[in-house]
């Protein structure tokens, strides 16, 4: 007989509003929002063997147990790499605090994919990491602040991938509209090797910041999905590779992106409608130029159609995230021809995602 689930946590997906690519560099800003599509993680006590089940990755399942205090995983843990990294990082804190480790089941459900399992580009890896960290902190009764839990999730993610900025983690952890600057990943790895985890969580991290941003005044956010999932790690890795080979003026891109995002944040906080629209358009232009200079397709033909059809109706639009597929975003007046825009998208096989900001 199955035990009841004792802990349930959900974490929202995210969308980038501005600052993509530059935000992977420590201290450079981006604006993101959390959206009302969720990954939910449930936890319950187990005996001898724990099970991780998920409706992601074709209903994958994994079993694990302990050999002394070590977590032993059955073969093929890849579909659960972010979940397992989150489990290990939380349990490291548990051990440092002198609390006993437990065996437990995890169940994961996601609203960040369509019926065929295709991802919408809403940050499912980030959301499942955040949901797992926060659920296990609650399950173990750890008294950690929101920022300390963010740092745990960031550390879990850099165990799995090297190129991520962590902006998606921050949006999922804090919700709403945020401005975010990335931490120094190499510093974090060095400190991780030389300090206790509890001490590291209590330190200020170079470059890392999260601040609330006012939502746009008098503008509606629309999100269109192209139906073509994109690989963020591949696209960001491509830009980083070309940067290293000196194939573009990368410092100029960083400077211009920072100016653009800072102006956008000011416009949002000041309720400056025209400044907000101008910031979205300027960031779109910077990303388009970055794609041209690197030879990387950020703005696909379908994304370009999404953007241009919105601009024709007075909106400001751009790719969201790394581009190359996934989603585009639009800020537009409520009294604009939104029905006409959505009809144009439908003819182009662009799906409107009915998303709202998760607070």
């Amino acid at each position: 007989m199955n035990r009841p689930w004792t802990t349930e946590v959900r974490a929202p997906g995210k969308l980038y509003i501005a600052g993509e690519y530059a935000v992977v560099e420590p201290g450079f800003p981006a604006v993101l929002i959390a959206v009302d599509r969720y990954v939910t993680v449930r936890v319950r006590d187990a005996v001898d063997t724990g099970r991780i089940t998920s409706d992601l990755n074709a209903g994958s399942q994994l079993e694990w147990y302990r050999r002394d205090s070590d977590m032993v995983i059955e073969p093929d843990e890849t579909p659960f790499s972010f979940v397992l990294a989150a489990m290990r990082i939380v349990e490291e804190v548990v051990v440092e605090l002198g609390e006993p480790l437990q065996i437990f089941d995890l169940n994961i459900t996601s609203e960040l994919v369509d019926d065929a399992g295709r991802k919408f580009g809403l940050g499912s890896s980030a959301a499942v990491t955040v949901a797992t960290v926060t659920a296990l902190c609650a399950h173990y009764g750890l008294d950690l602040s929101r920022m300390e839990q963010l740092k745990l999730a960031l550390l879990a993610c850099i165990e799995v991938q090297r190129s991520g900025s962590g902006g998606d983690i921050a949006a999922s952890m804090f919700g709403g509209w945020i401005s975010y600057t990335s931490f120094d990943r190499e510093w974090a790895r060095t400190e991780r090797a030389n300090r206790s985890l509890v001490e590291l969580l209590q330190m200020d991290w170079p470059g890392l910041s999260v601040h609330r941003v006012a939502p746009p005044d008098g503008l509606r956010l629309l999100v269109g999905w192209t139906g073509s999932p994109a690989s963020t790690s591949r696209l960001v890795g491509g830009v980083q590779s070309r940067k290293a080979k000196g194939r573009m003026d990368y410092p100029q891109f960083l400077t211009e992106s920072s100016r653009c995002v800072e102006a956008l944040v000011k416009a949002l906080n000041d309720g400056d409608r025209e400044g907000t629209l101008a910031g979205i358009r300027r960031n779109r232009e910077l990303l388009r130029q970055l794609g041209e200079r690197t030879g990387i397709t950020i703005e696909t033909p379908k994304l370009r159609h999404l953007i241009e059809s919105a601009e024709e109706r007075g909106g400001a639009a751009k790719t969201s995230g790394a581009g190359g597929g996934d989603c585009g975003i639009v800020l537009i007046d409520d009294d604009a021809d939104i029905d006409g825009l959505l009809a144009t998208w439908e003819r182009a096989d662009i799906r409107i995602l009915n998303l709202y900001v998760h607070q």
Side-chain angles (χ1 to χ4, degrees):
M1 180 176 177
N2 287 332
R3 296 173 175 82
W5 300 106
T6 55
T7 305
E8 178 174 318
V9 169
R10 65 178 190 172
K14 64 84 181 105
L15 280 170
Y16 270 93
I17 301 298
E20 295 92 337
Y21 288 96
V23 71
V24 302
E25 305 296 341
F28 282 85
V31 174
L32 303 95
I33 60 170
V35 297
D36 62 342
R37 295 281 185 97
Y38 303 93
V39 169
T40 301
V41 170
R42 301 173 183 87
V43 189
R44 66 185 174 197
D45 294 329
V47 178
D48 297 331
T49 299
R51 290 176 176 80
I52 304 173
T53 55
S54 174
D55 64 358
L56 294 167
N57 304 306
S60 302
Q61 179 171 312
L62 178 150
E63 294 188 348
W64 67 281
Y65 59 94
R66 294 199 190 281
R67 185 179 293 132
D68 297 325
S69 61
D70 293 334
M71 187 183 297
V72 181
I73 310 298
E74 291 297 317
D76 192 18
E77 61 184 75
T78 302
F80 294 101
S81 55
F82 287 95
V83 174
L84 293 170
M87 289 169 60
R88 291 179 176 119
I89 203 82
V90 172
E91 292 205 336
E92 189 173 333
V93 175
V94 173
V95 170
E96 286 188 14
L97 294 175
E99 299 296 329
L101 294 174
Q102 303 173 21
I103 299 286
F104 48 83
D105 295 331
L106 281 181
N107 172 257
I108 302 158
T109 55
S110 176
E111 301 170 358
L112 307 186
V113 296
D114 71 356
D115 292 339
R118 294 180 299 172
K119 295 180 179 180
F120 292 129
L122 301 178
S124 57
S125 296
V128 77
T129 303
V130 168
T132 302
V133 165
T134 53
L136 290 181
C137 284
H139 185 73
Y140 276 111
L142 302 182
D143 184 19
L144 298 180
S145 68
R146 182 79 56 94
M147 181 60 78
E148 288 169 337
Q149 292 184 59
L150 170 67
K151 291 173 180 176
L152 280 180
L154 292 172
L155 290 171
C157 276
I158 64 174
E159 292 290 332
V160 180
Q161 62 182 20
R162 298 191 65 84
S163 61
S165 71
D168 48 1
I169 295 282
S172 190
M173 182 68 75
F174 280 84
W177 285 72
I178 63 166
S179 64
Y180 169 82
T181 57
S182 181
F183 65 112
D184 186 327
R185 292 180 294 281
E186 292 310 314
W187 175 90
R189 290 187 177 98
T190 300
E191 295 299 318
R192 178 95 167 85
N194 295 312
R195 296 181 184 272
S196 74
L197 186 51
V198 171
E199 183 183 6
L200 182 55
L201 296 183
Q202 294 171 348
M203 295 174 64
D204 289 332
W205 286 20
L208 178 63
S209 71
V210 184
H211 298 287
R212 296 288 180 195
V213 176
D217 186 27
L219 294 169
R220 180 173 171 184
L221 174 68
L222 301 177
V223 183
W225 182 53
T226 64
S228 301
S231 170
T232 297
S233 59
R234 178 181 62 80
L235 290 162
V236 172
V239 169
Q240 292 291 305
S241 173
R242 287 157 177 79
K243 173 194 76 171
K245 295 175 181 177
R247 295 184 181 178
M248 58 175 170
D249 190 350
Y250 193 62
Q252 181 183 3
F253 167 71
L254 293 179
T255 298
E256 292 298 321
S257 179
S258 183
R259 288 174 181 165
C260 173
V261 175
E262 289 169 1
L264 174 62
V265 169
K266 184 178 187 305
L268 286 165
N269 287 333
D270 290 347
D272 178 359
R273 175 187 171 282
E274 291 304 321
T276 298
L277 295 175
I280 296 296
R281 292 179 178 126
R282 175 59 179 155
N283 199 231
R284 183 247 176 147
E285 180 62 18
L286 290 172
L287 293 173
R288 189 189 62 78
Q289 291 172 1
L290 180 68
E292 289 179 351
R293 292 167 182 167
T294 59
I296 291 173
T297 302
I298 295 174
E299 196 172 285
T300 64
K302 192 175 281 190
L303 282 168
R304 187 175 304 114
H305 181 69
L306 180 155
I307 292 165
E308 291 176 352
S309 59
E311 290 284 350
E312 290 170 0
R313 293 165 174 82
K318 59 181 286 294
T319 55
S320 177
D326 284 336
C327 296
I329 60 164
V330 178
L331 289 179
I332 193 167
D333 285 323
D334 274 324
D335 58 1
D337 181 19
I338 292 175
D339 288 342
L341 175 60
L342 299 186
T344 299
W345 285 4
E346 185 176 7
R347 290 192 293 271
D349 197 26
I350 296 169
R351 175 176 168 182
I352 180 71
L353 298 181
N354 292 312
L355 300 175
Y356 296 91
V357 178
H358 165 84
Q359 300 296 338

